[in-house]
Amino acid sequence: MRGPWVFLPLAAFVALVALMGAMLLGDRNPAEVDSALVGRAAPTLTLYALEPGGEPLVPADLRRGVPVIVNFFASWCVPCRAEHESLMALAGEHKVQIIGIAYKDKPAAARAFLEELGNPYDKVVLDESGRAGIEWGVSGVPETFVIDGDGMVRYRHWGPVVGDALETRLLPAVEAAR
Amino acid sequence: MKHLLARLMLVAAFALPAHAVDVDEVPLDDPAKEAEARDLMKEVRCLVCQNQSIEDSDADLARDLRVIIRERMAAGDDTDQVKAYLVERYGDWVLLKPPVAGRTLILWGSPVLILLLVAAGLLLRRRAAPPPPLSAEEEAKLKALLEAAEADEKEPRG
């Protein structure tokens, strides 16, 4: 019974420490929850345009044959301001179509936000009640979804796209969705 | 001092239980359904504050989810259907008590597994071979020790 078994508790302890260390030091946000939508069809809702008389968001917008990004934002949301530069680069340099959904925002405030910082969106629509957010399983803004050409959700980015997130996460997800 | 009672009454008046369910939220007409909805709200996680139920939370999203729960129940959904609606959008995480299913087997099974491991360990220890019998020399030593102890006990204590 003795022999190698003596080291079992020590081995278990080392394994636990290694596991905890990996979880702690890894590139992981414990507040982030996996999206239930990834791998499923994107919600098909019709949402009104932010600009009066603008085109609404229709289900066909999410089945364009090319990947589309859906970005939930709000003028009152500070992290959205922080990620705006990444979205401008995504639309400009990388030529990715982005659909903006103004979450629980006043139309005038959302328009002012885009006038001040620039408009990276192909189409901007309004979700004043936050209902569309719930359909998409959004728990807060910003959240960004990569939709493939057939309308399937392929990736969800939780929180602002800042730092190297555009290069290391979002763009590879867009490439993978092509 | 004479205002003490008045002050206490004032405190009591403001010491209503803090409740997150907003005043502008309209309860369901049917009290039984409203009670069911309230019970369900206690089981649904607020995704903003994460360790509160939406019944407890002041967050905007929690309020929206409460409204949706009432809406769906008023439309005739039972609690399981409402739960399924929420899980479809937010995943199992939205339920404070995760369901017992194949993917949650490790979560629910681990306490049982640990218990079984411990029981197995204890059984193995019990079954371990008994210690070898004492040698003649050890027997003699033991006998001497026992006799000395007995003699010690018989002597009056001083």
Side-chain angles (χ1 to χ4, degrees), chain B residues 39-40 43-44 69 72-73 77-92 94-97 99:
Chain B
D39 281 344
L40 180 58
E43 288 175 42
V44 175
I69 286 178
R72 300 206 72 87
M73 293 197 66
D77 275 12
D78 63 26
T79 48
D80 284 342
Q81 284 168 313
V82 179
K83 269 191 203 175
Y85 171 93
L86 292 170
V87 168
E88 205 178 294
R89 284 153 184 81
Y90 288 100
D92 282 342
V94 76
L95 303 174
L96 282 167
K97 187 179 164 192

Side-chain angles (χ1 to χ4, degrees), chain A residues 1 5 8 12, chain B residues 109-125:
Chain A
M1 268 316 279
W5 291 103
L8 190 64
Chain B
S110 56
V112 181
L113 190 72
I114 288 171
L115 207 68
L116 285 178
L117 279 176
V118 170
L122 286 176
L123 268 178
L124 278 176
R125 257 182 114 156

Side-chain angles (χ1 to χ4, degrees), chain A residues 47-124:
Chain A
L47 294 168
Y48 290 112
L50 176 67
E51 293 298 336
E55 275 183 45
L57 176 72
V58 291
D61 280 322
L62 301 177
R63 290 163 180 270
R64 291 182 178 177
V66 287
V68 176
I69 280 180
V70 172
N71 174 249
F72 279 82
F73 75 102
S75 63
W76 47 263
C77 145
V78 178
C80 298
R81 209 165 260 275
E83 77 166 1
H84 206 81
E85 204 183 321
S86 301
L87 296 180
M88 293 301 281
L90 195 59
E93 288 163 45
H94 303 287
K95 307 260 180 276
V96 180
Q97 298 176 21
I98 314 176
I99 290 165
I101 301 182
Y103 176 78
K104 294 200 168 197
D105 210 351
K106 299 261 188 301
R111 279 196 290 267
F113 177 82
L114 294 179
E115 256 162 48
E116 183 197 336
L117 297 173
N119 185 353
Y121 302 116
D122 207 48
K123 207 173 227 188
V124 197

